[in-house]
Amino acid sequence: MTFEHPAKEGEENEPGRFAKLAELASNFTSSAGFSVFCVLLVAAFVVVHLLHLDTSWQHLVGDAMGAVALLLLALLKNSERRAEHAIQVKLNAIAAALLEQQEGKGGQAHRALQRAIGLENRQ
């Protein structure tokens, strides 16, 4: 476990294993298939309660919904932090490039700005 920002894990231009897994999970959870799974899970919850099945079934379905909600919360927070980091890097690169341009210098900030383009897709 680390307290480092999730976007800073791994090499600078190479996302870490967790970032890759989080990206795959994010893509899956935004798919139609996952939406259908969630609707079926909620429908199962309603059916179990309407049929007055044993409480163990109610707990099973409720626990499954809780687990999915917790995983989605963690995934959402991770995605938010990575996007926030990418935006900040881009803003810093834009500001540095504008400053260089205003001062009549060239070079370093322009290259940093080029590297920042598409950063959110690489994290």
Side-chain angles (χ1 to χ4, degrees), residues 40-66:
L40 291 175
L41 193 58
V42 170
F45 181 77
V46 170
V47 167
V48 164
H49 280 286
L50 289 178
L51 295 178
H52 301 291
L53 294 179
D54 188 35
T55 56
S56 62
W57 283 101
Q58 293 176 7
H59 288 302
L60 177 68
V61 175
D63 289 348
M65 289 177 62

Side-chain angles (χ1 to χ4, degrees), residues 16-95:
R17 289 183 300 196
F18 180 75
K20 290 178 184 177
L21 178 64
E23 184 67 26
L24 288 172
S26 181
N27 292 340
F28 171 68
T29 57
S30 63
S31 70
F34 185 74
S35 296
V36 168
F37 169 74
C38 288
V39 168
L40 291 175
L41 193 58
V42 170
F45 181 77
V46 170
V47 167
V48 164
H49 280 286
L50 289 178
L51 295 178
H52 301 291
L53 294 179
D54 188 35
T55 56
S56 62
W57 283 101
Q58 293 176 7
H59 288 302
L60 177 68
V61 175
D63 289 348
M65 289 177 62
V68 168
L70 182 62
L71 290 173
L72 286 174
L73 178 65
L75 180 64
L76 177 66
K77 186 61 180 174
N78 180 272
S79 296
E80 174 191 333
R81 297 275 307 206
R82 287 186 290 116
E84 172 190 303
H85 182 261
I87 289 170
Q88 190 60 52
V89 168
K90 288 179 179 185
L91 286 174
N92 289 344
I94 290 169

